[in-house]
């Protein structure tokens, strides 16, 4: 095994490696490629990690993407993570504005610019994350995806359960768009099993209008959850939701329900207002 930048690469062939936990912290530095919570596998290798924690702190700049899972580069490689947990804090930057021209054909990999993925990146093998947690507390992130990314059509990147949390006013203002599912360089992305997108402790309308909250890309549906939100969020564009949950500490204004057919109010019904 080797550690290159923020990648843990497993190079031995016909190998099975099991790790209990991995913690990656980036601050006051520039990552020229991507950050992975899981392993980057090469050769006929199977690598699993029970829990990963990725902290993107103040001063961190990531040129490409942040993955809760790993990367499988060849057909026979498998990178598995039990629970991935990504935290993006105030002062971090994953803006998707850096030039990452692909040497050889001059094309930029658009689904690898400024993304935070709960899952891994499948270049040809298999990446699997059982539970992906993404917490955005500040900074700048162009795109948030609960699922993973597929580079090659032969690859599979799957997430069983995704939890995306935009925490505080700075967390909401950090993002341009949030989607429950994943992305693919070409073709269709592998679906996420189920997802929850939570807005927590929001007190102001977003500074940037038309922030997109998209629940598409799941097999079993997406829940949009408001927790202690007391703000006019009518500027949000909400779509493809199945369930809407509002707690008793929230007083939130939205334009529509994003297609949700089920509304759940938790706590004291008398103190919870949805306009």
């Amino acid at each position: 095994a080797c550690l290159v930048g923020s990648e843990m690469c497993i190079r031995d062939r016909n190998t099975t490696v099991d790790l209990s936990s991995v913690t990656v912290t980036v601050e006051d530095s520039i990552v020229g490629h991507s950050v992975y919570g899981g392993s980057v596998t090469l050769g006929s290798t199977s690598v699993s990690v029970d829990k990963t924690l990725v902290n993107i702190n103040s001063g961190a700049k990531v040129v490409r993407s942040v993955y809760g899972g790993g990367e499988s580069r060849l057909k026979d490689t498998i990178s598995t993570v039990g629970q991935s947990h990504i935290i993006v804090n105030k002062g971090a930057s994953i803006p998707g504005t850096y030039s990452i021209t692909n040497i050889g054909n001059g094309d930029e990999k658009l689904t690898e610019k400024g993304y935070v993925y709960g899952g891994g990146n499948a270049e040809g093998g298999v990446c699997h994350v059982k539970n992906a947690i993404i917490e955005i507390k500040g900074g700048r992130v162009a795109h948030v995806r609960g699922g993973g990314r597929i580079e090659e059509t032969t690859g599979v990147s799957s997430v069983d359960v995704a939890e995306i949390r935009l925490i505080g006013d700075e967390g909401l203002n950090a993002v341009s768009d949030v989607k429950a599912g994943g992305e693919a360089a070409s073709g269709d992305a592998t679906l996420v099993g189920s997802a929850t997108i939570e807005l927590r402790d929001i007190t102001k309308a977003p500074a940037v209008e038309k922030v997109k909250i998209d629940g598409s890309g799941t097999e079993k549906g997406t829940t949009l959850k408001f927790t202690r939100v007391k703000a006019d969020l009518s500027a949000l564009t909400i779509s493809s939701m199945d369930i809407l949950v509002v707690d008793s500490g929230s007083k939130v204004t939205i334009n529509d329900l994003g297609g949700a057919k089920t509304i759940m109010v938790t706590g004291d019904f008398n103190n919870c207002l949805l306009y």
Side-chain angles (χ1 to χ4, degrees):
C2 64
L3 186 64
V4 181
S6 59
E7 300 181 356
M8 179 179 63
C9 308
I10 307 298
R11 297 183 180 275
D12 295 334
R13 293 184 176 274
N14 302 314
T15 308
T16 299
V17 180
D18 297 312
L19 302 173
S20 60
S21 64
V22 171
T23 299
V24 178
T25 299
V26 184
E27 58 188 14
D28 296 326
S29 58
I30 299 175
V31 177
H33 197 289
S34 298
V35 179
Y36 299 86
S39 62
V40 178
T41 57
L42 301 168
S44 301
T45 306
S46 176
V47 184
S48 67
V49 183
D50 290 341
K51 289 186 178 181
T52 71
L53 174 61
V54 179
N55 297 297
I56 310 297
N57 294 335
S58 180
K61 297 180 180 180
V62 180
V63 172
R64 294 198 179 188
S65 295
V66 176
Y67 296 93
E71 180 172 280
S72 56
R73 293 189 175 177
L74 298 175
K75 181 179 178 181
D76 295 327
T77 61
I78 302 174
S79 181
T80 303
V81 173
Q83 182 186 82
S84 68
H85 191 174
I86 298 172
I87 302 174
V88 179
N89 288 299
K90 180 180 178 181
S93 182
I94 315 163
T97 56
Y98 301 110
S99 176
I100 57 169
T101 301
N102 187 18
I103 297 173
N105 60 21
D107 295 330
E108 290 189 328
K109 298 180 179 181
L110 297 180
T111 55
E112 208 175 4
K113 291 185 65 176
Y115 281 78
V116 170
Y117 288 102
N121 184 33
E123 289 204 356
V126 176
C127 290
H128 179 61
V129 175
K130 295 178 181 179
N131 180 206
I133 301 170
I134 301 173
E135 294 187 336
I136 308 297
K137 297 182 177 181
R140 183 75 187 106
V141 180
H143 315 285
V144 178
R145 299 292 183 264
R149 178 179 181 272
I150 299 174
E151 173 72 22
E152 302 289 344
T153 56
T154 56
V156 176
S157 182
S158 59
V159 173
D160 294 342
V161 178
E163 303 174 47
I164 303 171
R165 303 164 187 162
L166 306 181
I167 301 176
D169 297 330
E170 291 186 351
L172 177 60
N173 287 324
V175 302
S176 296
D177 65 81
V178 176
K179 182 180 177 182
E183 295 286 348
S186 61
D188 297 327
T190 303
L191 294 177
V192 171
S194 62
T196 298
I197 300 175
E198 180 181 8
L199 279 64
R200 182 189 298 178
D201 297 321
I202 309 295
T203 63
K204 300 177 182 177
V208 180
E209 292 187 358
K210 303 304 179 184
V211 175
K212 297 179 180 179
I213 308 294
D214 182 2
S216 67
T218 64
E219 296 175 325
K220 300 177 182 179
T222 301
T223 297
L224 178 61
K225 187 176 181 181
F226 296 96
T227 303
R228 298 183 298 276
V229 175
K230 297 181 180 179
D232 182 351
L233 301 184
S234 56
L236 296 183
T237 299
I238 302 172
S239 61
S240 301
M241 296 299 166
D242 296 276
I243 300 173
L244 183 68
V245 177
V246 185
D247 79 332
S248 60
S250 294
K251 295 182 181 179
V252 57
T253 301
I254 55 177
N255 271 340
D256 62 65
L257 304 180
K261 297 178 174 60
T262 301
I263 301 175
M264 297 175 60
V265 182
T266 62
D268 188 346
F269 281 60
N270 295 321
N271 293 330
C272 182
L273 298 176
L274 178 66
Y275 298 99

